[in-house]
Amino acid sequence: MKGRAYSPEHERVMTYLRHAEKSKGSVAGPTDLQIKVQADLPSEKRVLEILADLSDARRIQINRQGRRRAITTFADRFDDSDDISARIQARNSTSNPQKSAVCGTMPRSEELGGFARPATTPNNAGNPQKSAVSTRPVAGSKRWPAAKGNPPSVENRSPTELRLDDSYQRSTDNGASKALIKRIATGWDWRMCLPLVVSKRDDGSLWVIDGQHRLAAALLRGDIQFLPCCVGVYGSVADEAAMFVAMNRARKPMNRLDDFHAAIASGDSEAIEITRLITDAGFTVSRKTGSQSWRPGEVAFTSAISKVLRKHGAKVCADALRTMQEAWPGEVLNAGASMFTALTKLAISPPDGFDHDRLFRALRKRTQREWASFLSETKGGGDDRAAQLRQVLLMAYEEETGAGDDR
């Protein structure tokens, strides 16, 4: 038996736990100090590490009730999930051998866990045999295409063992990737560390197909001793590259509004504040980024609100949102982000003798769609569009001289 759950320290802990279990029926409430002394370990921290290893290897089960802890031991069995080559054994067979996921050949009668399929027996209509698994018929008669590839192995691997192939991996030598790597390293959370997709080549080397940012973050930290990896054989570098493309095309990234709603659910203070500003103005937060899907009264420009909120505070945001709600009640905010930013720019740097009521009368003379038409020829990003719309609003403001007609 190999792996990180079978070192001499682990065996001393198992010996003590089994001895205590024999005398008590179960190991009820052993303290970390007791285990440290009995197993001759250097620290109680090491005790916790070893217990976690043993639990992961299914050699023990830890049950907790409040502050109390009970440990049950299991008989050892061969299941070295850290080493796919040891776990998937090549079997000599002359009857239709099947290529294993990593090494050697494996007959069809063998499963990954070492269980043989039931022996095939002649069909006897007079004395039908029950299924070894279930007597229930398989639902439907659909024949699925044969599964592609071979089953992978989930392994814990040191970050220093993993390599990247620049022939198909995207470069991380840019500002966005560096910022992402630093963010992952700073907020490292094992609960978010999904297994990296890794290819095991003929020479035994391990190459990351998916997960290079997590790998870079682990190397940057220096204290991440292993990473969970889904290791398989892809045949060639070209096959690795094809899988890399397929995985990235199949992945549906979260759009900015998905991310915003997730931030609300997680209790993010800024997202909650932006939601309050939007709802206080009489709007709701949209779930969709496509303008064709927006409904009257929905706000999709949360990023624009966030930018102004950080620079100029909540009052400027609240005033602009309230003005938009009162000027165009029941309308789709076709140019919402640009109009919001333009209004905040006017509030921050107003012309001499600025009269808000005069601006409001000018706003009311056109619908949201009509205001949006002024931007049809504008090239550039959001800031350029907002600056253009601010100039249009100033022109409309200058033309508005009297009490006006509220449509």
Side-chain angles (χ1 to χ4, degrees):
M1 292 179 291
K2 303 177 182 178
R4 62 191 180 90
Y6 297 96
S7 72
E9 289 181 329
H10 292 82
E11 295 307 316
R12 291 199 300 271
V13 172
M14 284 299 300
T15 299
Y16 166 63
L17 294 178
R18 285 175 176 145
H19 174 75
E21 189 174 26
K22 278 185 179 180
S23 60
K24 299 181 180 179
S26 67
V27 187
T31 66
D32 297 335
L33 179 60
Q34 288 174 323
I35 299 175
K36 170 183 176 295
V37 172
Q38 295 294 331
D40 191 23
L41 297 178
S43 66
E44 293 180 37
K45 180 181 178 182
R46 182 58 179 152
V47 171
L48 296 176
E49 293 173 348
I50 289 179
L51 290 178
D53 290 345
L54 294 173
S55 178
D56 291 342
R58 297 182 292 281
R59 301 187 72 190
I60 65 171
Q61 177 176 316
I62 302 175
N63 301 308
R64 299 184 184 275
Q65 294 182 347
R67 296 184 178 181
R68 300 188 62 185
R69 177 179 68 189
I71 300 176
T72 303
T73 65
F74 299 127
D76 285 327
R77 62 185 180 85
F78 183 78
D79 184 13
D80 189 356
S81 59
D82 287 336
D83 188 354
I84 186 174
S85 299
R87 182 167 64 85
I88 304 178
Q89 296 295 309
R91 306 295 177 88
N92 295 324
S93 174
T94 58
S95 59
N96 193 19
Q98 181 182 11
K99 189 74 173 179
S100 77
V102 173
C103 62
T105 58
M106 181 170 63
R108 292 185 182 275
S109 62
E110 300 296 334
E111 304 291 344
L112 289 181
F115 297 103
R117 293 182 181 178
T120 303
T121 57
N123 185 25
N124 187 338
N127 185 20
Q129 301 293 316
K130 290 186 178 181
S131 166
V133 178
S134 172
T135 58
R136 297 175 62 185
V138 178
S141 59
K142 181 176 178 64
R143 295 180 62 85
W144 297 98
K148 299 178 181 179
N150 292 295
S153 172
V154 177
E155 309 176 29
N156 286 326
R157 290 287 184 169
S158 168
T160 57
E161 293 182 82
L162 305 175
R163 303 163 71 178
L164 296 170
D165 192 323
D166 293 335
S167 66
Y168 60 83
Q169 283 287 356
R170 290 172 292 192
S171 172
T172 57
D173 190 21
N174 57 74
S177 287
K178 289 179 179 178
L180 175 59
I181 292 167
K182 185 176 181 180
R183 186 163 64 250
I184 295 173
T186 302
W188 189 275
D189 188 337
W190 281 112
R191 296 167 297 179
M192 296 175 64
C193 186
L194 299 177
L196 284 66
V197 178
V198 174
S199 170
K200 188 172 186 178
R201 296 184 181 175
D202 291 341
D203 61 358
S205 60
L206 300 171
W207 297 81
V208 174
I209 297 175
D210 184 68
Q212 65 168 334
H213 291 96
R214 279 164 281 166
L215 172 60
L219 292 170
L220 179 63
R221 286 180 61 100
D223 62 346
I224 304 299
Q225 298 180 0
F226 63 87
L227 288 169
C229 300
C230 189
V231 181
V233 170
Y234 291 82
S236 67
V237 175
D239 290 337
E240 293 174 11
M243 182 58 64
F244 171 81
V245 173
M247 292 183 70
N248 281 277
R249 284 180 178 173
R251 181 180 294 127
K252 180 182 178 182
M254 291 179 67
N255 64 48
R256 54 185 173 80
L257 286 176
D258 288 337
D259 188 66
F260 181 79
H261 283 283
I264 296 172
S266 67
D268 181 81
S269 58
E270 181 178 274
I272 292 173
E273 174 70 2
I274 291 172
T275 303
R276 184 189 64 79
L277 290 169
I278 291 171
T279 55
D280 284 353
F283 292 126
T284 59
V285 182
S286 177
R287 281 276 182 180
K288 300 177 180 178
T289 56
S291 59
Q292 299 301 317
S293 303
W294 293 343
R295 296 179 179 179
E298 286 188 344
V299 167
F301 47 93
T302 54
S303 297
I305 298 175
S306 174
K307 186 181 296 185
V308 175
L309 178 63
R310 293 176 185 177
K311 289 185 177 180
H312 305 291
K315 187 178 186 306
V316 174
C317 297
D319 291 343
L321 289 168
R322 193 176 301 109
T323 297
M324 293 174 69
Q325 199 282 330
E326 292 173 356
W328 305 291
E331 290 189 28
V332 175
L333 303 179
N334 302 95
S338 299
M339 180 60 74
F340 171 82
T341 306
L343 289 174
T344 59
K345 287 180 179 293
L346 280 174
I348 295 162
S349 301
D352 292 338
F354 180 71
D355 182 355
H356 181 272
D357 291 338
R358 180 178 173 183
L359 174 65
F360 184 77
R361 292 195 300 270
L363 294 175
R364 290 278 294 166
K365 288 188 174 180
R366 290 181 173 85
T367 65
Q368 264 285 299
R369 187 175 295 276
E370 289 170 337
W371 286 113
S373 67
F374 289 103
L375 301 173
S376 60
E377 300 298 325
T378 303
K379 298 180 180 180
D383 288 337
D384 293 335
R385 291 167 61 85
Q388 172 67 21
L389 192 52
R390 180 181 183 275
Q391 292 301 318
V392 173
L393 292 180
L394 282 175
M395 292 172 60
Y397 174 82
E398 293 297 334
E399 293 173 1
E400 186 64 33
T401 56
D405 181 14
D406 278 353
R407 272 197 306 181

